[in-house]
Amino acid sequence: MSRVYNFSAGPSMLPVEVLERAQKEMLDCNGSGQSVMEMSHRSKEYQAIIDKAEANLRKIMEIPDNYKVLFLQGGASTQFAMIPLNFGTKNKKADYVTTGVWSKKAMAEAKKYIEVNEVASSADKTFSYIPELDKSMFSPDADYVHITYNNTIYGTRYTSLPDTGDVPIIADMSSMILSEVVDVSKFGMIYAGAQKNMGPAGVTVVIVREDLIGDALDITPTMLKYSTHAENGSMFNTPPTYAIYICGLVYEWIEKMGGIAAIQKINEEKAAMLYDYLDASDMFNATVVAKDRSLMNAPFVTGNEELDAKFVAESKAAGFVNLKGHRSVGGMRASIYNAMPVEGVKALVDFMKKFEAENK
Ligand SMILES: *Cc1c(COP(=O)(O)O)cnc(C)c1O
């Protein structure tokens, strides 16, 4: 068997230990004589699996008791509509910070239902930084403030939270959840599609402060109300049962690795290894200002499209796959999520050094 180093932005690598355990439990999970895929979601066997997944997520993220954890479908993209429908209800207005493709999509969806104020944007420099945010920029009567905590395509991340007063912050954490310690109590709501750093595509995790749930706009479809899912333990209808099970295995793996703080240290080490080389290289350059660089997604360019294409082709042949950059940035992007081992990043940097020497 040969496995490649997969630098895909998502769906992306999963820990080998998790895949092997899923393989072992494929035909008979926990002595049930069934695959998790075959279980009724109403069975006590499956209830134990989803309960354990939630309990482990609560433990590793230290989620306070006054927050609900929901396992939903529709991807992070469905949250773009659910957020204004459910939280834009008091003054029907919200503040959005634009830091890339995903925050633009979130804002465009909100505009269909409520008044939206764009607080700041980093569009002027191709989203290569996080804008400075000052309390005076936010509307005191906004129902919420939306930010994209890690920008998967442009490779930026927040390193501190803006002061928004009493206005709750809602954060898209799709590409950084579980990668570094965050204080959940500072957020009104956190959401993340699983397929980047948490599990397979098909489930979206929502962590929401209880007092914000329940006041949706009248037009909100039943399936798009947080209250529907909160009141039914994510079982109003059939949840994405197998995807939730794999996420549960990933949470157990994180705990075994020493928790999120321990994973964060490894992630910082991996990112430093890559960025240090990019800063020293005469051929490759990181596209993001140093202070706002993502720990998870590192875009880089040579400045020469032909050379970029040559690098992508040769790296692929050498077992480093999915390094081609997003079409809106060009060049390359290495997504180095939790499951990417330190050796994978080290091997990539060695390969880049060799490529640089051979193509001077
Ligand atoms: C991938 C991604 C999305 C879209 O997720 P889907 O689950 O495909 O809807 C949204 N936001 C961010 C930050 C992402 O990285």
Side-chain angles (χ1 to χ4, degrees), residues 9-10 74-80 101-103 105 148-153 172-176 191-196 201-204 297 333 337:
S77 301
T78 296
Q79 295 307 308
F80 298 165
V101 168
W102 298 117
S103 46
K105 286 192 173 168
T148 310
Y149 205 86
N150 183 78
N151 293 278
T152 325
I153 293 172
D172 180 351
M173 294 199 182
S174 292
S175 50
M176 60 65 69
Y191 64 103
Q195 71 274 17
K196 269 90 186 212
V203 61
T204 303
N297 313 97
R333 170 177 51 172
Y337 296 117

PDB file of all heavy atoms in Angstrom, residues 9-10 74-80 101-103 105 148-153 172-176 191-196 201-204 297 333 337, ligand 1:
ATOM      1  N   ALA A   9      -7.299  21.179  -0.063  1.00  0.00           N
ATOM      2  CA  ALA A   9      -7.971  22.121   0.847  1.00  0.00           C
ATOM      3  C   ALA A   9      -9.243  21.518   1.426  1.00  0.00           C
ATOM      4  O   ALA A   9      -9.772  21.996   2.422  1.00  0.00           O
ATOM      5  CB  ALA A   9      -8.288  23.407   0.101  1.00  0.00           C
ATOM      6  N   GLY A  10      -9.776  20.490   0.804  1.00  0.00           N
ATOM      7  CA  GLY A  10     -10.970  19.822   1.339  1.00  0.00           C
ATOM      8  C   GLY A  10     -11.837  19.295   0.226  1.00  0.00           C
ATOM      9  O   GLY A  10     -12.019  19.994  -0.756  1.00  0.00           O
ATOM     10  N   GLY A  74     -25.957  20.045   4.607  1.00  0.00           N
ATOM     11  CA  GLY A  74     -26.011  21.236   3.741  1.00  0.00           C
ATOM     12  C   GLY A  74     -24.712  22.016   3.680  1.00  0.00           C
ATOM     13  O   GLY A  74     -24.630  23.032   2.990  1.00  0.00           O
ATOM     14  N   GLY A  75     -23.684  21.565   4.382  1.00  0.00           N
ATOM     15  CA  GLY A  75     -22.388  22.233   4.306  1.00  0.00           C
ATOM     16  C   GLY A  75     -22.391  23.597   4.992  1.00  0.00           C
ATOM     17  O   GLY A  75     -23.441  24.100   5.403  1.00  0.00           O
ATOM     18  N   ALA A  76     -21.207  24.173   5.081  1.00  0.00           N
ATOM     19  CA  ALA A  76     -21.100  25.528   5.643  1.00  0.00           C
ATOM     20  C   ALA A  76     -21.940  26.487   4.814  1.00  0.00           C
ATOM     21  O   ALA A  76     -22.482  27.464   5.330  1.00  0.00           O
ATOM     22  CB  ALA A  76     -19.640  25.961   5.670  1.00  0.00           C
ATOM     23  N   SER A  77     -22.102  26.195   3.520  1.00  0.00           N
ATOM     24  CA  SER A  77     -22.846  27.100   2.632  1.00  0.00           C
ATOM     25  C   SER A  77     -24.303  27.273   3.048  1.00  0.00           C
ATOM     26  O   SER A  77     -24.883  28.338   2.831  1.00  0.00           O
ATOM     27  CB  SER A  77     -22.773  26.586   1.191  1.00  0.00           C
ATOM     28  OG  SER A  77     -21.431  26.503   0.779  1.00  0.00           O
ATOM     29  N   THR A  78     -24.905  26.240   3.617  1.00  0.00           N
ATOM     30  CA  THR A  78     -26.291  26.385   4.087  1.00  0.00           C
ATOM     31  C   THR A  78     -26.352  27.294   5.310  1.00  0.00           C
ATOM     32  O   THR A  78     -27.339  28.003   5.529  1.00  0.00           O
ATOM     33  CB  THR A  78     -26.907  25.006   4.374  1.00  0.00           C
ATOM     34  OG1 THR A  78     -26.962  24.287   3.141  1.00  0.00           O
ATOM     35  CG2 THR A  78     -28.322  25.109   4.923  1.00  0.00           C
ATOM     36  N   GLN A  79     -25.274  27.303   6.100  1.00  0.00           N
ATOM     37  CA  GLN A  79     -25.223  28.209   7.251  1.00  0.00           C
ATOM     38  C   GLN A  79     -25.281  29.676   6.812  1.00  0.00           C
ATOM     39  O   GLN A  79     -25.786  30.523   7.547  1.00  0.00           O
ATOM     40  CB  GLN A  79     -23.958  27.961   8.084  1.00  0.00           C
ATOM     41  CG  GLN A  79     -23.928  26.582   8.732  1.00  0.00           C
ATOM     42  CD  GLN A  79     -25.180  26.317   9.541  1.00  0.00           C
ATOM     43  OE1 GLN A  79     -25.552  27.119  10.388  1.00  0.00           O
ATOM     44  NE2 GLN A  79     -25.847  25.213   9.248  1.00  0.00           N
ATOM     45  N   PHE A  80     -24.759  29.958   5.611  1.00  0.00           N
ATOM     46  CA  PHE A  80     -24.780  31.338   5.127  1.00  0.00           C
ATOM     47  C   PHE A  80     -26.221  31.886   5.103  1.00  0.00           C
ATOM     48  O   PHE A  80     -26.423  33.082   5.313  1.00  0.00           O
ATOM     49  CB  PHE A  80     -24.183  31.445   3.713  1.00  0.00           C
ATOM     50  CG  PHE A  80     -22.726  31.047   3.612  1.00  0.00           C
ATOM     51  CD1 PHE A  80     -22.150  30.789   2.377  1.00  0.00           C
ATOM     52  CD2 PHE A  80     -21.931  30.942   4.743  1.00  0.00           C
ATOM     53  CE1 PHE A  80     -20.811  30.435   2.266  1.00  0.00           C
ATOM     54  CE2 PHE A  80     -20.582  30.581   4.652  1.00  0.00           C
ATOM     55  CZ  PHE A  80     -20.019  30.330   3.403  1.00  0.00           C
ATOM     56  N   VAL A 101     -13.468  34.860  -0.542  1.00  0.00           N
ATOM     57  CA  VAL A 101     -14.598  34.280  -1.274  1.00  0.00           C
ATOM     58  C   VAL A 101     -15.718  33.835  -0.331  1.00  0.00           C
ATOM     59  O   VAL A 101     -16.893  34.122  -0.556  1.00  0.00           O
ATOM     60  CB  VAL A 101     -14.108  33.074  -2.108  1.00  0.00           C
ATOM     61  CG1 VAL A 101     -15.277  32.265  -2.644  1.00  0.00           C
ATOM     62  CG2 VAL A 101     -13.217  33.542  -3.258  1.00  0.00           C
ATOM     63  N   TRP A 102     -15.351  33.151   0.752  1.00  0.00           N
ATOM     64  CA  TRP A 102     -16.397  32.586   1.623  1.00  0.00           C
ATOM     65  C   TRP A 102     -17.138  33.665   2.377  1.00  0.00           C
ATOM     66  O   TRP A 102     -18.356  33.590   2.550  1.00  0.00           O
ATOM     67  CB  TRP A 102     -15.809  31.534   2.564  1.00  0.00           C
ATOM     68  CG  TRP A 102     -15.233  30.382   1.812  1.00  0.00           C
ATOM     69  CD1 TRP A 102     -13.930  29.989   1.792  1.00  0.00           C
ATOM     70  CD2 TRP A 102     -15.935  29.471   0.942  1.00  0.00           C
ATOM     71  NE1 TRP A 102     -13.783  28.899   0.967  1.00  0.00           N
ATOM     72  CE2 TRP A 102     -14.982  28.568   0.443  1.00  0.00           C
ATOM     73  CE3 TRP A 102     -17.257  29.350   0.542  1.00  0.00           C
ATOM     74  CZ2 TRP A 102     -15.321  27.537  -0.450  1.00  0.00           C
ATOM     75  CZ3 TRP A 102     -17.604  28.333  -0.338  1.00  0.00           C
ATOM     76  CH2 TRP A 102     -16.647  27.448  -0.825  1.00  0.00           C
ATOM     77  N   SER A 103     -16.429  34.701   2.832  1.00  0.00           N
ATOM     78  CA  SER A 103     -17.165  35.763   3.541  1.00  0.00           C
ATOM     79  C   SER A 103     -18.043  36.544   2.573  1.00  0.00           C
ATOM     80  O   SER A 103     -19.131  36.980   2.937  1.00  0.00           O
ATOM     81  CB  SER A 103     -16.227  36.670   4.340  1.00  0.00           C
ATOM     82  OG  SER A 103     -15.120  37.051   3.605  1.00  0.00           O
ATOM     83  N   LYS A 105     -19.583  35.231   0.003  1.00  0.00           N
ATOM     84  CA  LYS A 105     -20.768  34.387  -0.220  1.00  0.00           C
ATOM     85  C   LYS A 105     -21.715  34.456   0.978  1.00  0.00           C
ATOM     86  O   LYS A 105     -22.934  34.492   0.820  1.00  0.00           O
ATOM     87  CB  LYS A 105     -20.343  32.940  -0.470  1.00  0.00           C
ATOM     88  CG  LYS A 105     -19.742  32.750  -1.852  1.00  0.00           C
ATOM     89  CD  LYS A 105     -19.604  31.282  -2.200  1.00  0.00           C
ATOM     90  CE  LYS A 105     -19.161  31.157  -3.653  1.00  0.00           C
ATOM     91  NZ  LYS A 105     -18.729  29.811  -4.009  1.00  0.00           N
ATOM     92  N   THR A 148     -15.028  35.344   8.905  1.00  0.00           N
ATOM     93  CA  THR A 148     -14.480  34.060   8.451  1.00  0.00           C
ATOM     94  C   THR A 148     -13.125  33.909   9.131  1.00  0.00           C
ATOM     95  O   THR A 148     -12.175  34.615   8.784  1.00  0.00           O
ATOM     96  CB  THR A 148     -14.323  34.040   6.919  1.00  0.00           C
ATOM     97  OG1 THR A 148     -15.567  34.472   6.331  1.00  0.00           O
ATOM     98  CG2 THR A 148     -13.983  32.645   6.422  1.00  0.00           C
ATOM     99  N   TYR A 149     -13.063  33.032  10.103  1.00  0.00           N
ATOM    100  CA  TYR A 149     -11.898  33.001  11.003  1.00  0.00           C
ATOM    101  C   TYR A 149     -10.614  32.604  10.291  1.00  0.00           C
ATOM    102  O   TYR A 149      -9.546  33.124  10.565  1.00  0.00           O
ATOM    103  CB  TYR A 149     -12.185  32.021  12.149  1.00  0.00           C
ATOM    104  CG  TYR A 149     -11.401  32.311  13.403  1.00  0.00           C
ATOM    105  CD1 TYR A 149     -11.889  33.223  14.344  1.00  0.00           C
ATOM    106  CD2 TYR A 149     -10.191  31.697  13.665  1.00  0.00           C
ATOM    107  CE1 TYR A 149     -11.189  33.517  15.496  1.00  0.00           C
ATOM    108  CE2 TYR A 149      -9.478  31.978  14.815  1.00  0.00           C
ATOM    109  CZ  TYR A 149      -9.986  32.888  15.726  1.00  0.00           C
ATOM    110  OH  TYR A 149      -9.275  33.168  16.859  1.00  0.00           O
ATOM    111  N   ASN A 150     -10.730  31.653   9.392  1.00  0.00           N
ATOM    112  CA  ASN A 150      -9.570  31.240   8.575  1.00  0.00           C
ATOM    113  C   ASN A 150     -10.022  31.210   7.131  1.00  0.00           C
ATOM    114  O   ASN A 150     -11.044  30.598   6.801  1.00  0.00           O
ATOM    115  CB  ASN A 150      -9.083  29.855   9.004  1.00  0.00           C
ATOM    116  CG  ASN A 150      -7.834  29.421   8.244  1.00  0.00           C
ATOM    117  OD1 ASN A 150      -6.732  29.852   8.543  1.00  0.00           O
ATOM    118  ND2 ASN A 150      -8.016  28.567   7.233  1.00  0.00           N
ATOM    119  N   ASN A 151      -9.253  31.905   6.268  1.00  0.00           N
ATOM    120  CA  ASN A 151      -9.661  32.025   4.873  1.00  0.00           C
ATOM    121  C   ASN A 151      -8.916  30.993   4.038  1.00  0.00           C
ATOM    122  O   ASN A 151      -7.760  31.185   3.666  1.00  0.00           O
ATOM    123  CB  ASN A 151      -9.445  33.458   4.422  1.00  0.00           C
ATOM    124  CG  ASN A 151     -10.389  34.394   5.153  1.00  0.00           C
ATOM    125  OD1 ASN A 151     -11.551  34.539   4.765  1.00  0.00           O
ATOM    126  ND2 ASN A 151      -9.940  34.973   6.259  1.00  0.00           N
ATOM    127  N   THR A 152      -9.617  29.938   3.754  1.00  0.00           N
ATOM    128  CA  THR A 152      -9.089  28.724   3.135  1.00  0.00           C
ATOM    129  C   THR A 152      -8.395  28.993   1.807  1.00  0.00           C
ATOM    130  O   THR A 152      -7.372  28.390   1.495  1.00  0.00           O
ATOM    131  CB  THR A 152     -10.265  27.753   2.890  1.00  0.00           C
ATOM    132  OG1 THR A 152     -11.196  27.898   3.966  1.00  0.00           O
ATOM    133  CG2 THR A 152      -9.805  26.323   2.782  1.00  0.00           C
ATOM    134  N   ILE A 153      -8.961  29.911   1.019  1.00  0.00           N
ATOM    135  CA  ILE A 153      -8.453  30.167  -0.333  1.00  0.00           C
ATOM    136  C   ILE A 153      -7.259  31.119  -0.282  1.00  0.00           C
ATOM    137  O   ILE A 153      -6.235  30.877  -0.917  1.00  0.00           O
ATOM    138  CB  ILE A 153      -9.581  30.731  -1.223  1.00  0.00           C
ATOM    139  CG1 ILE A 153     -10.645  29.631  -1.429  1.00  0.00           C
ATOM    140  CG2 ILE A 153      -9.026  31.253  -2.550  1.00  0.00           C
ATOM    141  CD1 ILE A 153     -11.910  30.086  -2.134  1.00  0.00           C
ATOM    142  N   ASP A 172     -17.200  31.574  10.908  1.00  0.00           N
ATOM    143  CA  ASP A 172     -17.024  30.423  10.029  1.00  0.00           C
ATOM    144  C   ASP A 172     -15.629  29.848  10.322  1.00  0.00           C
ATOM    145  O   ASP A 172     -14.621  30.459  10.000  1.00  0.00           O
ATOM    146  CB  ASP A 172     -17.137  30.883   8.568  1.00  0.00           C
ATOM    147  CG  ASP A 172     -16.976  29.739   7.567  1.00  0.00           C
ATOM    148  OD1 ASP A 172     -16.612  28.621   7.979  1.00  0.00           O
ATOM    149  OD2 ASP A 172     -17.224  29.979   6.366  1.00  0.00           O
ATOM    150  N   MET A 173     -15.592  28.686  10.959  1.00  0.00           N
ATOM    151  CA  MET A 173     -14.310  28.055  11.317  1.00  0.00           C
ATOM    152  C   MET A 173     -14.057  26.788  10.505  1.00  0.00           C
ATOM    153  O   MET A 173     -13.325  25.895  10.935  1.00  0.00           O
ATOM    154  CB  MET A 173     -14.280  27.727  12.816  1.00  0.00           C
ATOM    155  CG  MET A 173     -14.289  28.941  13.709  1.00  0.00           C
ATOM    156  SD  MET A 173     -13.700  28.535  15.368  1.00  0.00           S
ATOM    157  CE  MET A 173     -13.877  30.122  16.186  1.00  0.00           C
ATOM    158  N   SER A 174     -14.678  26.730   9.307  1.00  0.00           N
ATOM    159  CA  SER A 174     -14.619  25.497   8.509  1.00  0.00           C
ATOM    160  C   SER A 174     -13.204  24.945   8.356  1.00  0.00           C
ATOM    161  O   SER A 174     -13.002  23.746   8.429  1.00  0.00           O
ATOM    162  CB  SER A 174     -15.201  25.742   7.117  1.00  0.00           C
ATOM    163  OG  SER A 174     -16.590  25.972   7.209  1.00  0.00           O
ATOM    164  N   SER A 175     -12.221  25.838   8.122  1.00  0.00           N
ATOM    165  CA  SER A 175     -10.893  25.320   7.790  1.00  0.00           C
ATOM    166  C   SER A 175      -9.890  25.451   8.934  1.00  0.00           C
ATOM    167  O   SER A 175      -8.697  25.277   8.721  1.00  0.00           O
ATOM    168  CB  SER A 175     -10.373  26.003   6.526  1.00  0.00           C
ATOM    169  OG  SER A 175     -10.502  27.401   6.632  1.00  0.00           O
ATOM    170  N   MET A 176     -10.376  25.749  10.152  1.00  0.00           N
ATOM    171  CA  MET A 176      -9.421  25.787  11.271  1.00  0.00           C
ATOM    172  C   MET A 176      -9.950  25.182  12.566  1.00  0.00           C
ATOM    173  O   MET A 176      -9.193  25.091  13.534  1.00  0.00           O
ATOM    174  CB  MET A 176      -8.875  27.202  11.512  1.00  0.00           C
ATOM    175  CG  MET A 176      -9.865  28.286  11.841  1.00  0.00           C
ATOM    176  SD  MET A 176     -10.731  28.095  13.405  1.00  0.00           S
ATOM    177  CE  MET A 176      -9.386  28.377  14.564  1.00  0.00           C
ATOM    178  N   TYR A 191     -19.437  27.779  13.324  1.00  0.00           N
ATOM    179  CA  TYR A 191     -19.860  26.690  12.438  1.00  0.00           C
ATOM    180  C   TYR A 191     -18.698  26.239  11.581  1.00  0.00           C
ATOM    181  O   TYR A 191     -17.755  26.994  11.315  1.00  0.00           O
ATOM    182  CB  TYR A 191     -21.066  27.090  11.582  1.00  0.00           C
ATOM    183  CG  TYR A 191     -20.829  28.212  10.594  1.00  0.00           C
ATOM    184  CD1 TYR A 191     -20.648  27.940   9.239  1.00  0.00           C
ATOM    185  CD2 TYR A 191     -20.806  29.545  10.996  1.00  0.00           C
ATOM    186  CE1 TYR A 191     -20.454  28.958   8.312  1.00  0.00           C
ATOM    187  CE2 TYR A 191     -20.607  30.569  10.084  1.00  0.00           C
ATOM    188  CZ  TYR A 191     -20.430  30.269   8.744  1.00  0.00           C
ATOM    189  OH  TYR A 191     -20.234  31.284   7.839  1.00  0.00           O
ATOM    190  N   ALA A 192     -18.764  24.977  11.151  1.00  0.00           N
ATOM    191  CA  ALA A 192     -17.676  24.415  10.339  1.00  0.00           C
ATOM    192  C   ALA A 192     -18.160  23.200   9.564  1.00  0.00           C
ATOM    193  O   ALA A 192     -18.710  22.262  10.146  1.00  0.00           O
ATOM    194  CB  ALA A 192     -16.510  24.004  11.244  1.00  0.00           C
ATOM    195  N   GLY A 193     -17.962  23.241   8.250  1.00  0.00           N
ATOM    196  CA  GLY A 193     -18.131  22.026   7.457  1.00  0.00           C
ATOM    197  C   GLY A 193     -17.037  21.053   7.888  1.00  0.00           C
ATOM    198  O   GLY A 193     -15.919  21.471   8.157  1.00  0.00           O
ATOM    199  N   ALA A 194     -17.359  19.769   7.951  1.00  0.00           N
ATOM    200  CA  ALA A 194     -16.404  18.809   8.531  1.00  0.00           C
ATOM    201  C   ALA A 194     -15.224  18.495   7.625  1.00  0.00           C
ATOM    202  O   ALA A 194     -14.153  18.123   8.102  1.00  0.00           O
ATOM    203  CB  ALA A 194     -17.138  17.516   8.869  1.00  0.00           C
ATOM    204  N   GLN A 195     -15.407  18.660   6.320  1.00  0.00           N
ATOM    205  CA  GLN A 195     -14.476  18.022   5.367  1.00  0.00           C
ATOM    206  C   GLN A 195     -13.085  18.629   5.270  1.00  0.00           C
ATOM    207  O   GLN A 195     -12.259  18.166   4.507  1.00  0.00           O
ATOM    208  CB  GLN A 195     -15.118  17.961   3.981  1.00  0.00           C
ATOM    209  CG  GLN A 195     -15.256  19.294   3.265  1.00  0.00           C
ATOM    210  CD  GLN A 195     -16.522  20.040   3.619  1.00  0.00           C
ATOM    211  OE1 GLN A 195     -17.167  19.758   4.611  1.00  0.00           O
ATOM    212  NE2 GLN A 195     -16.900  21.012   2.802  1.00  0.00           N
ATOM    213  N   LYS A 196     -12.832  19.711   6.044  1.00  0.00           N
ATOM    214  CA  LYS A 196     -11.488  20.273   6.016  1.00  0.00           C
ATOM    215  C   LYS A 196     -10.642  19.676   7.148  1.00  0.00           C
ATOM    216  O   LYS A 196      -9.639  19.051   6.890  1.00  0.00           O
ATOM    217  CB  LYS A 196     -11.530  21.795   6.151  1.00  0.00           C
ATOM    218  CG  LYS A 196     -11.607  22.545   4.831  1.00  0.00           C
ATOM    219  CD  LYS A 196     -12.906  22.842   4.296  1.00  0.00           C
ATOM    220  CE  LYS A 196     -12.941  23.460   2.929  1.00  0.00           C
ATOM    221  NZ  LYS A 196     -14.066  24.366   2.787  1.00  0.00           N
ATOM    222  N   ALA A 201     -16.933  14.849   4.224  1.00  0.00           N
ATOM    223  CA  ALA A 201     -17.989  15.759   3.782  1.00  0.00           C
ATOM    224  C   ALA A 201     -19.338  15.175   4.179  1.00  0.00           C
ATOM    225  O   ALA A 201     -19.492  13.959   4.284  1.00  0.00           O
ATOM    226  CB  ALA A 201     -17.915  15.941   2.263  1.00  0.00           C
ATOM    227  N   GLY A 202     -20.320  16.060   4.393  1.00  0.00           N
ATOM    228  CA  GLY A 202     -21.669  15.576   4.670  1.00  0.00           C
ATOM    229  C   GLY A 202     -22.214  16.036   5.998  1.00  0.00           C
ATOM    230  O   GLY A 202     -23.421  16.010   6.215  1.00  0.00           O
ATOM    231  N   VAL A 203     -21.345  16.462   6.910  1.00  0.00           N
ATOM    232  CA  VAL A 203     -21.841  16.981   8.188  1.00  0.00           C
ATOM    233  C   VAL A 203     -21.218  18.344   8.448  1.00  0.00           C
ATOM    234  O   VAL A 203     -20.066  18.599   8.070  1.00  0.00           O
ATOM    235  CB  VAL A 203     -21.570  16.006   9.359  1.00  0.00           C
ATOM    236  CG1 VAL A 203     -20.094  15.746   9.584  1.00  0.00           C
ATOM    237  CG2 VAL A 203     -22.215  16.515  10.658  1.00  0.00           C
ATOM    238  N   THR A 204     -22.011  19.216   9.023  1.00  0.00           N
ATOM    239  CA  THR A 204     -21.568  20.561   9.419  1.00  0.00           C
ATOM    240  C   THR A 204     -21.838  20.712  10.903  1.00  0.00           C
ATOM    241  O   THR A 204     -22.960  20.470  11.357  1.00  0.00           O
ATOM    242  CB  THR A 204     -22.363  21.634   8.647  1.00  0.00           C
ATOM    243  OG1 THR A 204     -22.184  21.387   7.258  1.00  0.00           O
ATOM    244  CG2 THR A 204     -21.879  23.029   8.982  1.00  0.00           C
ATOM    245  N   ASN A 297      -3.656  26.779   5.752  1.00  0.00           N
ATOM    246  CA  ASN A 297      -3.612  26.893   4.289  1.00  0.00           C
ATOM    247  C   ASN A 297      -2.538  27.899   3.912  1.00  0.00           C
ATOM    248  O   ASN A 297      -2.633  29.070   4.273  1.00  0.00           O
ATOM    249  CB  ASN A 297      -4.957  27.373   3.739  1.00  0.00           C
ATOM    250  CG  ASN A 297      -6.142  26.618   4.340  1.00  0.00           C
ATOM    251  OD1 ASN A 297      -6.762  27.091   5.292  1.00  0.00           O
ATOM    252  ND2 ASN A 297      -6.452  25.452   3.806  1.00  0.00           N
ATOM    253  N   ARG A 333      -0.940  26.026  -3.339  1.00  0.00           N
ATOM    254  CA  ARG A 333      -1.441  26.140  -1.964  1.00  0.00           C
ATOM    255  C   ARG A 333      -1.229  24.803  -1.283  1.00  0.00           C
ATOM    256  O   ARG A 333      -1.658  23.762  -1.791  1.00  0.00           O
ATOM    257  CB  ARG A 333      -2.927  26.497  -1.944  1.00  0.00           C
ATOM    258  CG  ARG A 333      -3.546  26.390  -0.541  1.00  0.00           C
ATOM    259  CD  ARG A 333      -5.011  26.808  -0.518  1.00  0.00           C
ATOM    260  NE  ARG A 333      -5.790  26.129  -1.533  1.00  0.00           N
ATOM    261  CZ  ARG A 333      -7.114  26.186  -1.638  1.00  0.00           C
ATOM    262  NH1 ARG A 333      -7.814  26.914  -0.784  1.00  0.00           N
ATOM    263  NH2 ARG A 333      -7.746  25.540  -2.599  1.00  0.00           N
ATOM    264  N   TYR A 337      -3.569  20.492   7.284  1.00  0.00           N
ATOM    265  CA  TYR A 337      -4.511  20.316   8.390  1.00  0.00           C
ATOM    266  C   TYR A 337      -3.925  19.379   9.454  1.00  0.00           C
ATOM    267  O   TYR A 337      -2.835  18.812   9.288  1.00  0.00           O
ATOM    268  CB  TYR A 337      -5.835  19.768   7.849  1.00  0.00           C
ATOM    269  CG  TYR A 337      -6.540  20.717   6.898  1.00  0.00           C
ATOM    270  CD1 TYR A 337      -6.768  20.371   5.568  1.00  0.00           C
ATOM    271  CD2 TYR A 337      -6.974  21.973   7.329  1.00  0.00           C
ATOM    272  CE1 TYR A 337      -7.418  21.235   4.695  1.00  0.00           C
ATOM    273  CE2 TYR A 337      -7.623  22.849   6.468  1.00  0.00           C
ATOM    274  CZ  TYR A 337      -7.851  22.474   5.153  1.00  0.00           C
ATOM    275  OH  TYR A 337      -8.489  23.331   4.297  1.00  0.00           O
TER     276      TYR A 337
HETATM  277  C1  LIG B   1     -15.009  25.088   2.270  1.00  0.00           C
HETATM  278  C2  LIG B   1     -15.521  26.291   2.981  1.00  0.00           C
HETATM  279  C3  LIG B   1     -16.873  26.656   2.935  1.00  0.00           C
HETATM  280  C4  LIG B   1     -17.894  25.887   2.117  1.00  0.00           C
HETATM  281  O1  LIG B   1     -18.152  24.678   2.714  1.00  0.00           O
HETATM  282  P1  LIG B   1     -19.245  23.649   2.138  1.00  0.00           P
HETATM  283  O2  LIG B   1     -19.300  22.656   3.251  1.00  0.00           O
HETATM  284  O3  LIG B   1     -18.708  23.108   0.862  1.00  0.00           O
HETATM  285  O4  LIG B   1     -20.508  24.386   1.963  1.00  0.00           O
HETATM  286  C5  LIG B   1     -17.281  27.755   3.657  1.00  0.00           C
HETATM  287  N1  LIG B   1     -16.408  28.470   4.396  1.00  0.00           N
HETATM  288  C6  LIG B   1     -15.094  28.160   4.452  1.00  0.00           C
HETATM  289  C7  LIG B   1     -14.177  28.985   5.284  1.00  0.00           C
HETATM  290  C8  LIG B   1     -14.617  27.055   3.752  1.00  0.00           C
HETATM  291  O5  LIG B   1     -13.313  26.737   3.815  1.00  0.00           O
END
